[in-house]
Amino acid sequence: MPDRIDPARLRALDRAHVWHPYGPMPGRQEPLVVESASGVRLRLAEPAHGRTELVDGMSSWWSAVHGYNHPVLNEAARDQLDRMSHVMFGGLTHEPAVRLATRLVEITPEPLQHVFLADSGSVSVEVAVKMCLQYWRSAGRPAKRRLLTWRGGYHGDTWQPMSVCDPEGGMHELWSGSLPRQVFADAPPDGFDAEPDEAYARHLRELVTSHADELAAVIVEPVVQGAGGMRFHSPAYLRVLREACDEHDVLLVFDEIATGFGRTGQLFAAGHAGVSPDVMCVGKALTGGYLTLAATLCTSRVAEGISSGDVPVLAHGPTFMGNPLASAVACASVDLLLGQDWELEVKRIGAGLRRGLAEAAGVPGVRDVRVLGAIGVVQLDHEVDMAAATRAAVREGVWLRPFRDLVYTMPPYVTGDDDVARICRAVCAAAKEG
Ligand SMILES: *Cc1c(COP(=O)(O)O)cnc(C)c1O
C-alpha cells in the first residue's frame, strides 16, 4: 500500500490536476476529502465546520440505495474478484452478465426482453438512440432519425443525450451547430397528482403527429425529471405518449436511470402509468452505487427489426461491456432490494421527508416544497448560493449538493428516521442560508 497523502496536500494536488463534475480547472471550490463511508455516513479525512461524519442525503447521485460498505455487496464483489474482475465480452460470456440480464428482463415491464450492458448511463442512452435509429434504417425508413422530448429533461453528457437535455440547462446555444437538432415539446405541467391538462396532452399528440415521418423515437424520463430540474408530472402524459407513438409508428424510450429501482415508489416509474416503453435505460442504483454500470433493454420487435436489416447487428461494443465485477454486484444489489420490503422503506422515508420539509414552505425565498417516493425537493425563488448552502448542511452534519434553484435529497433506503429528520433540518438550513 502506498503511504497516505495528507489531506491538505491531497486537496492541493486535486486542485492542480483533477477535473470535477461541471468544474473549472483549476477548481474554485474546495472539495471535502472523504476517507471512507459506511452505512449512510461519509467519514471525512479532516473536520469541516466541526464535523468529521456526514449523513449522505444524496445517495451519491441516486445510486447508493443500500448505503455504503454493505456486507452483502462487499461479499459479492470479493467473491467475483477472486474469480475474475473482467474479461472481454466479444465471443465470451459469463454468469454474472447472464444472470443480471435475465434478472432485469424479469423485473422490468414484460415486453422488454433483450439487454445491452453499457458502462454508464450516458452510454446506455447513446445505445438506446442507436437502437431506435437503426430500427428504422432496417425498416427502410432512414428519414426517421430525429428524437422528440419535452423540455426540462436530463439524459446525460455525451452528444446524443445532451441533444435531448433541456435546451437552456443543457446549454444548447453553446453547442449549436454541433448537437443534433431534436424536436422539443413544452415541459410537462407540474404535479404528480395534478389533473392531466388536456391542452398539454393535445400539444404532445400534435407534435408526434406532425413530425412522425422524421421521428425515430420519443425519449423522456417518466414521472420525475431529475437533473433537469427535479420536477414531477402526471403519469397520464406517459399514456398519451404511448398512444401517440403507437398510432404514428414512433418508438418510445423511457430513461429510468434516476427513477429506477424503487426511488419514486414504484420499482420503475413506468409502473405509475401502467405503460411499457419499447426501449428502457437503467443505471445509477443498478449496482447499489458500487461500480459504474447501466443497461439498455428493448422489445423483441426492436431487436428483430434491427437484426433483419442490411446491417443486421447492433454496432456497439464497449471494451468493458458486461463487466463481471459490476454485474455481480448489480445482481446482489437487485436481490438485496427485492429481498426486503423496499416499498415500505421508500414510503417511510417519503413520510419523514414530508414531515421534516414542511417547515421549509414558510421560509422566505422558498417557492415550492415537494416530495415523491423517497425524493424531497425544496425549490427557491433564486439561484442557490452553493457554498453557503453546502456549509449550512455540513454544520447540520449532512451532505447535500444543491444546484440551480434547488436544494434536494434522495437518501439511501436504509436511512433511519432520526437521520431522515437530520437531513430535513439540513435541507431547511441550506434553503435559509443558500
Ligand atoms: C444520471 C443520468 C444519466 C446519465 O448517467 P451517467 O451514468 O451519469 O452517464 C442519464 N439519464 C438520467 C435520467 C440520469 O439521471
Side-chain angles (χ1 to χ4, degrees), residues 27-295:
R28 279 198 290 270
Q29 273 194 353
E30 284 274 277
L32 302 178
V33 181
V34 178
E35 183 247 349
S36 62
S38 175
V40 300
R41 284 175 161 70
L42 311 179
R43 188 162 302 111
L44 303 179
E46 55 194 342
H49 307 294
R51 301 282 179 178
T52 48
E53 273 195 351
L54 300 178
V55 173
D56 179 20
M58 303 303 291
S59 296
S60 281
W61 275 337
W62 313 81
S63 65
V65 290
H66 308 299
Y68 301 88
N69 229 322
H70 195 289
V72 172
L73 302 186
N74 286 5
E75 162 99 26
R78 265 191 222 109
D79 184 59
Q80 184 56 42
L81 202 54
D82 286 339
R83 290 162 209 269
M84 64 191 168
S85 153
H86 184 63
V87 63
M88 66 184 282
F89 213 45
L92 301 175
T93 195
H94 45 78
E95 187 170 324
V98 174
R99 225 185 239 283
L100 177 62
T102 308
R103 197 81 168 113
L104 289 175
V105 167
E106 278 166 13
I107 66 175
T108 52
E110 208 276 324
L112 300 167
Q113 288 293 315
H114 312 289
V115 183
F116 187 104
L117 295 170
D119 34 19
S120 76
S122 300
V123 171
S124 77
V125 173
E126 296 280 1
V127 169
V129 173
K130 193 181 270 191
M131 281 178 176
C132 295
L133 266 62
Q134 206 171 334
Y135 174 84
W136 292 115
R137 193 183 177 283
S138 293
R141 302 183 67 184
K144 284 169 75 65
R145 59 175 186 229
R146 288 183 83 190
L147 304 171
L148 184 151
T149 188
W150 45 39
R151 286 171 185 269
Y154 176 79
H155 297 281
D157 292 338
T158 56
W159 289 96
Q160 285 285 351
M162 255 206 300
S163 76
V164 281
C165 287
D166 185 70
E168 274 133 58
M171 297 191 287
H172 286 201
E173 285 299 303
L174 185 63
W175 303 117
S176 63
S178 307
L179 279 183
R181 291 174 57 82
Q182 314 294 14
V183 181
F184 283 93
D186 296 340
D190 281 321
F192 175 79
D193 293 317
E195 266 307 301
D197 177 348
E198 189 40 48
Y200 182 74
R202 205 176 318 119
H203 166 65
L204 289 178
R205 281 190 211 100
E206 280 169 7
L207 269 184
V208 174
T209 309
S210 61
H211 291 275
D213 288 345
E214 54 173 356
L215 284 182
V218 171
I219 176 169
V220 294
E221 295 157 278
V223 176
V224 175
Q225 294 182 298
M230 301 300 299
R231 300 173 60 201
F232 311 149
H233 57 257
S234 165
Y237 303 125
L238 303 171
R239 290 190 286 272
V240 170
L241 288 176
R242 181 70 276 178
E243 278 168 27
C245 285
D246 285 344
E247 197 174 326
H248 295 283
D249 262 359
V250 175
L251 296 171
L252 181 60
V253 181
F254 283 170
D255 178 347
E256 295 248 15
I257 292 169
T259 51
F261 304 104
R263 182 56 69 179
T264 70
Q266 290 275 329
L267 191 55
F268 296 98
H272 290 291
V275 298
S276 58
D278 302 292
V279 177
M280 179 166 140
C281 298
V282 295
K284 290 202 160 103
L286 176 59
T287 63
Y290 266 52
L291 289 148
T292 177
L293 186 71

